[in-house]
Amino acid sequence: MKDCKSYSVAPPLADIALRNIWNLDMALDVNTRTETVELLSREADCLKHKLEEERKKLNDVTLANVAERLEEVTFLNIKPRRLLKGNQAKMLCCDWSPDKRHIVSSSQDGKLLIWDAFTTTKEQTVTMPTTWVMACAYSPSGNLVACGGLDNKVTVFNISNPEEDPSAKKKTVGTHTNFMSCCLFPNSDQQILTGSGDATAALWDVESGQMLQSFHGHTGDIMSIDLSPSEIGNTFISGSCDKMLLLWDMRTGQSVQSFEGHLSDINSVKYHPSGDAVASGSDDSTCRMYDLRADKEVAVYSKESILFGVNSIDFSVSGRILFGGYTDYTINAWDSLKCERVSLLYGHENRVTSIKLSPDGTALASASWDASLRVCIFADLIIQILQLFNRYNFSHILTNIHFKIALT
């Protein structure tokens, strides 16, 4: 009986002792983990500080200082030549066709229009099932256009035959969980890249509608994307309402570089034609340029008199001029190296929402909330080319539509 009593009392005491030991081990383990995390955090902060110090050592000169020895950009002779009106509401986006003659525009009225920039006529009209068609883009072949907006979808239309109704050949390629803000075809008609208000970007296969890759990293709406100008084109840049620019590897879906500096939403991003830098436009009324190799901001384009946000940007073919469309109804042209404004374009009667340089760099299209699309040409550049062609008796091959626009 004594043995039985001892046995009956011992297990509860042993259990209590074991629990106490286990709780003590857990407490020690938690404390150890906390100390380890704090130690690693301090070490990471120290490394960041050292990297920043090393970066500052190399930052001994500004882009503007380096560009002082360069000649100044003379007054840009930019002539307004065409006014395209047909939408019944705010124009939100535009894009040039590879043929340098046609322009696609999207609008708040739910219409997608195909324009002839020379005759100013609407060649095709596509009615979307939703208003606020926020994005549109031509494919590299010029046979397809993609668009999307508050319907959360990216839809592709075949416009190769002007006699046929494009709506009969529409194809819904992919769907986001929030509005689709931007899209582009990455070097072929087979794939399309989109950005969305759900803070993600996605690469889709046009034929199957399958998502090939998704890109997660932003914490705010993605408002703009742009593809690297390299022939391979495996990277793209995105700008978001989280005030960040992220550089993505399309093959892995990972962000490989990030840039910050803006104080408000980023509305537009664009690669420099060299592919070594990217520019951005923001609601903080500034444009900025970041060098990918130096991994830092190298230029800010702003003036105290500019109080309104930048909605869209684009580079000239050489990259020397950066154009920005602003909420104050104007388009500013900046010397990208000297960080100085070299021209100011008026004409629109409401905010400029989208600007696009033609593929050959001789014309600039701008869309606005005033429901109009305007086309300006760089008169001096075209005149120089005309003189060169005439000098060598090449005038018979002048088929570029912008030469014709310049002469009429």
Side-chain angles (χ1 to χ4, degrees), residues 32-324:
T32 302
R33 285 203 300 268
T34 302
E35 290 175 359
T36 302
V37 170
E38 291 177 352
L39 181 63
L40 292 174
S41 179
R42 286 195 297 269
E43 187 176 346
D45 290 339
C46 182
L47 289 173
K48 286 180 181 179
H49 182 68
K50 288 181 179 179
L51 285 172
E52 192 61 32
E53 287 182 344
E54 292 299 320
R55 199 179 279 178
K56 286 180 179 179
K57 290 178 183 178
L58 299 175
N59 187 23
D60 57 350
V61 66
T62 65
L63 180 63
N65 291 336
V66 173
E68 283 181 355
R69 65 179 182 274
L70 298 177
E71 292 184 7
E72 292 186 0
V73 175
T74 56
F75 178 76
L76 296 177
N77 189 10
I78 304 175
K79 302 281 189 182
R81 279 293 180 265
R82 294 291 184 266
L83 174 62
L84 289 67
K85 302 195 75 170
N87 285 102
Q88 303 303 313
K90 302 169 181 176
M91 279 197 182
L92 304 175
C93 188
C94 65
D95 192 29
W96 284 94
S97 167
D99 67 7
K100 313 178 194 70
R101 174 165 185 153
H102 293 90
I103 302 175
V104 61
S105 67
S106 61
S107 170
Q108 185 191 5
D109 61 10
K111 295 287 197 307
L112 192 72
L113 300 181
I114 307 296
W115 302 86
D116 185 322
F118 181 42
T119 64
T120 71
T121 57
K122 292 180 291 184
E123 293 194 346
Q124 298 184 65
T125 302
V126 180
T127 302
M128 298 292 292
T130 181
T131 57
W132 284 89
V133 185
M134 302 174 67
C136 60
Y138 264 102
S139 69
S141 69
N143 294 326
L144 304 177
V145 291
C147 63
L150 293 187
D151 59 355
N152 303 355
K153 301 175 182 178
V154 55
T155 306
V156 174
F157 296 89
N158 190 323
I159 59 168
S160 57
N161 188 351
E163 304 299 324
E164 295 182 357
D165 181 10
S167 299
K169 292 187 176 182
K170 77 173 183 178
K171 182 180 181 62
T172 300
V173 176
T175 304
H176 283 275
T177 59
N178 207 328
F179 66 87
M180 200 202 78
S181 57
C182 47
C183 64
L184 58 82
F185 288 87
N187 299 327
S188 76
D189 289 17
Q190 282 71 50
Q191 296 177 350
I192 187 165
L193 185 65
T194 60
S196 169
D198 61 14
T200 70
L203 180 66
W204 310 87
D205 181 84
V206 173
E207 185 63 31
S208 66
Q210 180 183 358
M211 182 189 290
L212 302 177
Q213 190 67 266
S214 61
F215 306 90
H216 299 263
H218 282 294
T219 58
D221 305 348
I222 292 180
M223 301 305 296
S224 180
I225 55 176
D226 191 42
L227 188 71
S228 168
S230 66
E231 292 182 2
I232 301 175
N234 285 329
T235 60
F236 74 95
I237 193 80
S238 63
S240 166
C241 291
D242 61 10
K243 311 172 191 175
M244 297 287 294
L245 284 85
L246 295 182
L247 184 70
W248 303 90
D249 188 324
M250 294 176 63
R251 297 161 296 185
T252 64
Q254 299 298 312
S255 171
V256 295
Q257 216 168 349
S258 63
F259 300 98
E260 57 186 359
H262 280 293
L263 306 177
S264 190
D265 300 354
I266 296 174
N267 296 319
S268 185
V269 293
K270 192 70 180 179
Y271 264 95
H272 188 275
S274 67
D276 295 326
V278 293
S280 57
S282 166
D283 277 342
D284 64 11
S285 75
T286 71
C287 297
R288 298 170 188 261
M289 186 158 69
Y290 303 86
D291 190 299
L292 301 181
R293 297 163 298 181
D295 192 35
K296 65 184 289 293
E297 178 186 294
V298 292
V300 179
Y301 310 95
S302 64
K303 289 177 71 71
E304 290 185 3
S305 59
I306 299 177
L307 305 176
F308 295 88
V310 187
N311 302 309
S312 182
I313 60 171
D314 204 356
F315 277 105
S316 63
V317 171
S318 67
R320 182 67 187 270
I321 305 298
L322 175 65
F323 297 96

Side-chain angles (χ1 to χ4, degrees), residues 327-341:
T327 303
D328 63 359
Y329 315 169
T330 65
I331 297 174
N332 287 265
W334 300 91
D335 185 329
S336 65
L337 297 180
K338 292 181 176 292
C339 304
E340 299 172 350
R341 186 170 67 182

